[in-house]
Amino acid sequence: MTIIAEIGTAHSGDLSKAFELIDASKEAGADCVKFQWVYADEILHPDTGFVDLPNGRTRLYDNFKALECNQEFYAQCMEYARKKNILFACSPFGLKSLKELAELKPDAIKIASPEVNHYPMLKDCSRFYAKIPLILSSGVSKLGDIEKAMELIDASENKRAEDMKMPALTLLHCLTFYPAPEDEYNVRCVKTLGQVLGIPTGISDHSMDPVLVPVLSVAMGGAMIEKHITLSRKDSGLDDPVALEPEMFKLMVHSVHQAEAVLRHSGENEIYRQLAYEYPMEKINSILGTGIKKLAPAESANYGRTNRSLHYMRSMKKGEKIGNGDVSVLRTEKILTPGISPEFKELITGAVLTKDVENGAGVKLEDFIEKKRKNCGTKSRPQLKF
């Protein structure tokens, strides 16, 4: 079992705090630390809305902008992690951060749940797949989304390099909501997704309890667990309020290793029996769920908003042609309208607008289709204007 301490952006751009978080992760028993390589322009539009944080109401774009660090920052974090004998992984959020991350040759590249449909980035990931393991998280995604992502990555164990410290591709079941309700986690998906897709699976856990979801993922044969770590839940980072402080993270690691030993010697039913001393069996069963991969109630309203779609990067007039930089693959998030799937980005490049569009609006195919007066003749299929 590989245990990942998700540091994310809890360092707030402070290198000494990043080192302190690496130390805390190592001391808590994590096998790997994971960072997030943030460039705000790769994630969301400046007008996406606001978020309430411990230090007040903040424009979400500005919050991400303040977390931007250069390549040297991550290089030093990776060097320090390896000095401490702990693996280093990182999540890119676009083509620029992916390229710069791959140049560092991390121990793994993690594709976060909202990027499962960032098709241009996934295609680029396939170029690094032979040498750098990939971890794919699957929150706010349907089974078809996961299968399409794997096709773009061209997942094949035959590409695995001998010196990889993790499997070539690992899929993490996830519930993208903060904090995630344990009762909706459907942990049996860890087993069923592994059986359906034929790759190692695990869980990315955003619930508050340090034991329940991680231990039940062990019972389901999980190969990897990822959970946020913070020095204090009172810190001002985006994920700090739902992260585990070091002592709680240490408890999770201990519980996971205990569960692994029980699974080896006595099987999954013994794990349930021992958990039942502390938790009602009804709760355990509700967390295990059905094992059918579907959107959890808590995240279903965000499908299409948290993950990626196409958005205009400037206001444009009818008759203008879409050029490079006019449209980006972004999360919709708070107040904007979702656009069409990123798979259509190449299709609409060069297309002519048949209506005025606003900066930040989600791209629609009807923005490029001319309305024609009805004739009594044969019907024709609408086509994009070029």
Side-chain angles (χ1 to χ4, degrees), residues 223-243:
M224 184 179 289
I225 292 170
E226 175 191 65
K227 204 161 174 71
H228 281 273
I229 191 170
T230 181
L231 298 177
S232 171
R233 278 184 172 169
K234 295 179 181 178
D235 284 353
S236 60
L238 274 173
D239 300 312
D240 288 328
V242 298

Side-chain angles (χ1 to χ4, degrees), residues 3 5-7 10-11 14-35 76-88 229-231 244-247 249-250 253:
I3 299 176
E6 163 71 288
I7 290 172
H11 51 75
D14 183 334
L15 191 60
S16 62
K17 188 174 183 180
F19 288 176
E20 192 176 353
L21 281 158
I22 293 170
D23 287 338
S25 301
K26 177 66 177 178
E27 290 166 12
D31 304 297
C32 178
V33 290
K34 190 186 82 66
F35 285 71
Q76 290 184 64
C77 289
M78 185 175 75
E79 182 183 2
Y80 187 80
R82 289 177 172 171
K83 194 179 295 182
K84 294 292 181 175
N85 198 29
I86 190 168
L87 300 176
F88 178 88
I229 191 170
T230 181
L231 298 177
L244 295 184
E245 294 176 349
E247 283 303 310
F249 200 97
K250 190 173 185 178
V253 172

Side-chain angles (χ1 to χ4, degrees), residues 216-346:
L216 289 174
S217 74
V218 173
M220 291 297 105
M224 184 179 289
I225 292 170
E226 175 191 65
K227 204 161 174 71
H228 281 273
I229 191 170
T230 181
L231 298 177
S232 171
R233 278 184 172 169
K234 295 179 181 178
D235 284 353
S236 60
L238 274 173
D239 300 312
D240 288 328
V242 298
L244 295 184
E245 294 176 349
E247 283 303 310
M248 296 299 281
F249 200 97
K250 190 173 185 178
L251 171 62
M252 182 196 75
V253 172
H254 175 72
S255 301
V256 163
H257 290 324
Q258 272 194 324
E260 286 182 292
V262 170
L263 184 66
R264 281 194 302 270
H265 295 292
S266 305
E268 64 184 79
N269 287 333
E270 180 61 18
I271 292 178
Y272 307 147
R273 193 186 71 81
Q274 292 190 19
L275 275 178
Y277 285 114
E278 299 292 333
Y279 303 93
M281 199 65 210
E282 183 181 0
K283 185 172 183 66
I284 293 169
N285 285 326
S286 68
I287 296 169
L288 286 169
T290 64
I292 299 169
K293 173 58 181 172
K294 59 183 179 180
L295 297 173
E299 65 182 358
S300 59
N302 291 325
Y303 186 70
R305 300 191 69 84
T306 300
N307 34 22
R308 299 296 180 123
S309 65
L310 298 181
H311 286 263
Y312 293 108
M313 297 309 295
R314 64 184 180 94
S315 295
M316 301 179 71
K317 296 291 186 183
K318 177 181 177 179
E320 286 194 72
K321 187 175 287 191
I322 300 296
N324 292 330
D326 290 334
V327 168
S328 288
V329 179
L330 301 172
R331 301 180 189 178
T332 301
E333 291 292 350
K334 301 297 180 183
I335 61 173
L336 299 177
T337 303
I340 56 176
S341 169
E343 65 188 304
F344 296 111
K345 190 171 190 295
E346 290 183 13

